[in-house]
Each structure stands twice: as C-alpha cells, then as structure tokens.
Amino acid sequence: MIGTSVRVKEDKLVPAHHQALDHVNTCLNLSTSNSHGKSILDDGLSRNKENNPKMNEMEILQAELERKRVENQSLKSMLNQVNNDYYTLQLQLVALREDQKSNRHGRIRGGGGFDVARQSFKDLNCDNRGEISCRSGRDVQQESTNKGPMIVDTSRDVLEQNQQNMSMTRRKPRVSVRTRSEASMISDGCQWRKYGQKLAKGNPCPRAYYRCTMASTCPVRKQVQRCALDRTILITTYEGNHNHPLPSAAMAMASTTSVAASTFLSGSMPSGGDHLGLQLMNSNALAETLTLSASAPFPTITLDLTQDHALSPNSVSIPQSSLSNQSKLLLGGLQGIGPPHFSHAQTQVLPDTISSIAADPNFTEALVAALASILGNVHGNNNNSSNTRD
DNA sequence: CGGTTTTGACCTGCGC
DNA sequence: GCGCAGGTCAAAACCG
Ligand SMILES: [Zn+2]
C-alpha cells in the first residue's frame, strides 16, 4: 500500500523534475551508500568465487539493487526537499519583485492592483520559518473577510497595508481549471475538507467548497463545480497560497496556481480590455486555453484543459505582443518550450528575477508537470481518497 | 473516537 | 431597507 503510493509519486516526480534531480546528483554525497554496497559486494565475491559463478553474479546484482534502492531513497528525500525549497523561493522571488515594483510605482496600481504576491510572501512568513518577523496578520484578514481587522499592530505602514488588504480582499485572484472528469474532484495531491455546498444560480449542479487541511492555518480554498452546459466538465477554482510544505504530488498544481495568480496580479494586463483568451499547444500536442479575466467579481485565470488534440497553434486569438510578459512566461512554461523571448519594448517591465525563473528549466518542468498531472487525472481514473462517497 | 461530510442558518455585498 | 446570491459557519450525522 505504502509502497504503491511511493512508486506513483516517484513516477510523477522523476520526469517532471529531472533537472532538479541532476542538480541533486551533483551535490549529493553518495559515498556512504556506495561504499556500503561495495563491501557487501566484496563479501559476496570472496565467499562464492570458486563455488558458483551464477550465485556470484546474483549476489552482485542484489547488492547493486540494494545500493540503487538506498540511493533512490536518499535522492527522493533530497528531491522532495529541493522541491519544497524551490516552491518557497519561487513564491518569495515573485512576491519580492512585486513588492519592489509596487513600492516604486506607488501602492495602488491602476486597473487591478492585486496583492496576492505580497500575500503569498506573508503566507510564507507564517510558515515554520521564524526568521522573518514582519507578519502583519494578513492571513487573519484573509480568513475572516468580513469580520473586521483583528490586528493589534499599530505601525502606520502596517495599518495602511491592512486597510489596503481589506479593500483588496474581494479581489483575490483565482485560478480556475476546467477538466473533463467523471469524478467529483480532481486529485491534486492536497488534502481537502469540504465545508460547504451551494446551489449556484443558473447551474443545477451544486458547487462544493473545500479548504486545505494539510495545515490548520492554510488559507487555500477551492471550489468544485460541474459546468452547467456540459456536465462532464469539472471546474476547480483555487484561491490562495499554501503556507506549509507540500508533498511533491501537490507541488505541481500549487506552483501553477501560485505562479498564475502572481502572473495575473503583477499588473501589465493588456490595456485594451480586462479579458483575453488564447490557446496554446504544449509539448504533448494537447491544447489548452488560458483565459485571464478581471471583469469577474474575482479576477480569475481559467485554464481550460477540456479541448482534446484538435486545436491548431494557429488559433491563438490574441497577438502575443498584447500579453503581459508574465503571461508569456507562464505560457512558455506551460508549453514546455523553455524560457520565452520577450520583445524589447516590454523588457523593462520584466523583472530580472522573473526572467531568471523563466530561464530555469525546473520552473518549466513544474508547470508542465502540473498539466501532466491534471491531464493524467482526467484521462486516467479519478479516484480521490477524500472523496470516495460522491 | 477523531476526522470528514452534510446541511440549514447565518453573514455580507450588491442592486434596486 | 429589502431581497438575492455567494460564501462561510457549525451542529449533527456519518465513517473508518
Ligand atoms: Zn495548504
């Protein structure tokens, strides 16, 4: 049982993060396990040298197997750690850049000055790392949207930001994923607890509300609802960023939603309107449609994974030049084509850090892995341990 | 028995 | 102010 789940996780992990694995390999000291394996190997050699060459060979293979197993385990834990760190750093980088930019251009951006990068940064602060102490009680506010401020910090800056957060609470970006699925919920690696269900107007299918239970203070929520027009389509909407370490299985989706939200909030929406859509092809020739919308009550990024194989890359409906850099960054990552190229006109807007993230193949891999896991869940079986009764 | 789901009540924002 | 709709709470039921 445990072995099975580990193997599944491993299969998902390795192709998605082989770059990270390479990186791990360079710094991982495997000498302990290697020498250990070798000593076993030598013992076997000395004992069975004359008697049975086949036995000898078998022991060699067994020792080799054992060594690989130990190596594999340490690599896995290492990879898990690297993934966690990577996700954390990624959030911090995006948020930090966003923070600097907003400091430069004044606190409130025109159009949609969403504050989630900063929020995710503070989410990280209330993580189990205590070295950053500038927490302002954001998650309290985010949790209790309508219950008034519960912060005692009297610093003017903090209060000002709190007020801004209050005004922005209703504008938290969301990342919506449309998938074809018979199951009640796509499995994204996280643990969720259902806390409500509503019949939304205009949709006979009820909308379910879930909250992340991997940490008691985690602000992440998601809504799951079937499409009214096509009930085979499952719409999963994520909101917020995890403030705790994630299992590798959940890392892909969390990274994608987090980066997508950060992408969206980082401003630079096309000036022509508050809604755009485009279609893209990833390396597996599966078509997705990405929609950014700021006109909805909540700014929402919709990732449409319901259209199979039929779309042409020519169907991009919006010229790339009208996209924000970060949008292109995300799309480039989703397509698995490596770092995107940016026009000179927009290079100024692009933070170096974002660029370096984009240039990191791990980033691309993570995004592609998210899609792969989603698609795997949709096209494969959709069993989710926490929702077997629906 | 602890965690999760169910479900009616409640809260809040918004349009009229 | 009122009604509506979306979202959340929390007690009870359920489950392993
Ligand atoms: Zn979480």
Side-chain angles (χ1 to χ4, degrees):
Chain A
M1 184 71 175
I2 294 172
T4 312
S5 67
V6 166
R7 187 166 295 279
V8 169
K9 195 187 285 184
E10 178 187 30
D11 288 346
K12 267 187 180 175
L13 258 177
V14 171
H17 303 281
H18 65 273
Q19 295 286 346
L21 198 61
D22 290 344
H23 184 68
V24 169
N25 265 331
T26 58
C27 41
L28 189 63
N29 187 1
L30 297 172
S31 60
T32 309
S33 57
N34 277 340
S35 60
H36 181 63
K38 233 174 193 135
S39 68
I40 296 174
L41 199 66
D42 290 344
D43 278 353
L45 275 174
S46 57
R47 233 181 317 161
N48 297 306
K49 192 169 264 181
E50 307 98 17
N51 294 347
N52 198 340
K54 287 207 169 174
M55 193 81 167
N56 189 10
E57 190 179 348
M58 193 165 171
E59 287 199 4
I60 291 175
L61 288 175
Q62 277 180 345
E64 182 83 7
L65 195 67
E66 176 66 17
R67 208 175 63 224
K68 293 286 182 194
R69 201 179 59 81
V70 172
E71 183 180 330
N72 194 24
Q73 270 187 347
S74 56
L75 279 173
K76 259 193 290 185
S77 63
M78 199 81 167
L79 184 60
N80 218 7
Q81 180 64 41
V82 167
N83 274 331
N84 274 321
D85 291 348
Y86 182 76
Y87 173 62
T88 304
L89 285 172
Q90 178 183 309
L91 287 179
Q92 286 182 344
L93 275 173
V94 173
L96 215 53
R97 277 289 165 185
E98 189 57 28
D99 212 24
Q100 287 177 357
K101 202 203 291 180
S102 61
N103 279 342
R104 237 181 288 135
H105 296 117
R107 280 204 170 267
I108 301 182
R109 236 188 324 269
F114 315 121
D115 212 14
V116 165
R118 188 165 21 223
Q119 287 182 358
S120 59
F121 184 52
K122 282 166 190 161
D123 283 345
L124 287 167
N125 293 348
C126 59
D127 197 343
N128 43 6
R129 26 191 110 228
E131 67 265 27
I132 307 174
S133 58
C134 59
R135 214 184 134 204
S136 70
R138 177 221 49 80
D139 55 343
V140 174
Q141 286 191 340
Q142 190 171 350
E143 278 292 318
S144 53
T145 303
N146 308 310
K147 288 173 186 159
M150 301 171 65
I151 313 98
V152 202
D153 194 332
T154 53
S155 137
R156 207 182 63 172
D157 200 30
V158 169
L159 284 176
E160 182 187 351
Q161 184 166 339
N162 286 337
Q163 283 176 355
Q164 186 189 347
N165 281 343
M166 285 299 287
S167 67
M168 289 302 166
T169 314
R170 284 183 298 114
R171 304 278 295 176
K172 270 184 299 182
R174 295 177 169 185
V175 180
S176 179
V177 180
R178 290 165 58 94
T179 54
R180 270 187 207 285
S181 173
E182 296 301 320
S184 62
M185 201 163 79
I186 59 174
S187 69
D188 45 25
C190 273
Q191 293 174 355
W192 303 94
R193 185 164 61 90
K194 192 174 182 178
Y195 68 89
Q197 179 167 311
K198 269 284 188 186
L199 265 177
K201 202 188 175 187
N203 193 339
C205 307
R207 174 185 300 162
Y209 299 90
Y210 296 88
R211 146 184 311 152
C212 176
T213 58
M214 299 194 75
S216 56
T217 59
C218 182
V220 175
R221 290 166 190 212
K222 78 170 178 181
Q223 300 176 3
V224 179
Q225 185 172 33
R226 297 211 164 272
C227 180
L229 299 176
D230 184 353
R231 300 195 185 186
T232 63
I233 294 179
L234 196 66
I235 305 171
T236 308
T237 305
Y238 296 87
E239 177 185 317
N241 293 301
H242 297 277
N243 60 4
H244 53 84
L246 288 167
S248 50
M251 199 69 67
M253 178 61 88
S255 300
T256 299
T257 55
S258 154
V259 171
S262 303
T263 296
F264 192 71
L265 68 89
S266 52
S268 48
M269 291 288 291
S271 55
D274 54 3
H275 183 99
L276 65 93
L278 68 156
Q279 292 162 343
L280 57 135
M281 304 289 288
N282 72 0
S283 53
N284 295 325
L286 288 166
E288 298 96 23
T289 304
L290 185 75
T291 307
L292 308 182
S293 170
S295 55
F298 297 92
T300 304
I301 299 177
T302 302
L303 198 56
D304 193 341
L305 305 176
T306 61
Q307 300 154 21
D308 291 340
H309 315 292
L311 295 174
S312 141
N314 296 330
S315 60
V316 172
S317 57
I318 300 256
Q320 284 267 318
S321 59
S322 71
L323 285 174
S324 72
N325 291 311
Q326 286 80 6
S327 296
K328 282 197 279 183
L329 156 71
L330 179 63
L331 297 182
L334 291 175
Q335 291 178 82
I337 58 174
H341 303 287
F342 301 102
S343 68
H344 290 298
Q346 291 173 325
T347 317
Q348 293 173 337
V349 193
L350 179 71
D352 297 339
T353 326
I354 301 277
S355 172
S356 66
I357 291 176
D360 187 343
N362 293 342
F363 176 75
T364 306
E365 294 286 346
L367 290 167
V368 172
L371 289 177
S373 69
I374 296 165
L375 293 169
N377 286 322
V378 170
H379 297 304
N381 58 345
N382 295 277
N383 45 1
N384 187 304
S385 60
S386 64
N387 272 281
T388 50
R389 269 186 289 165
D390 288 344

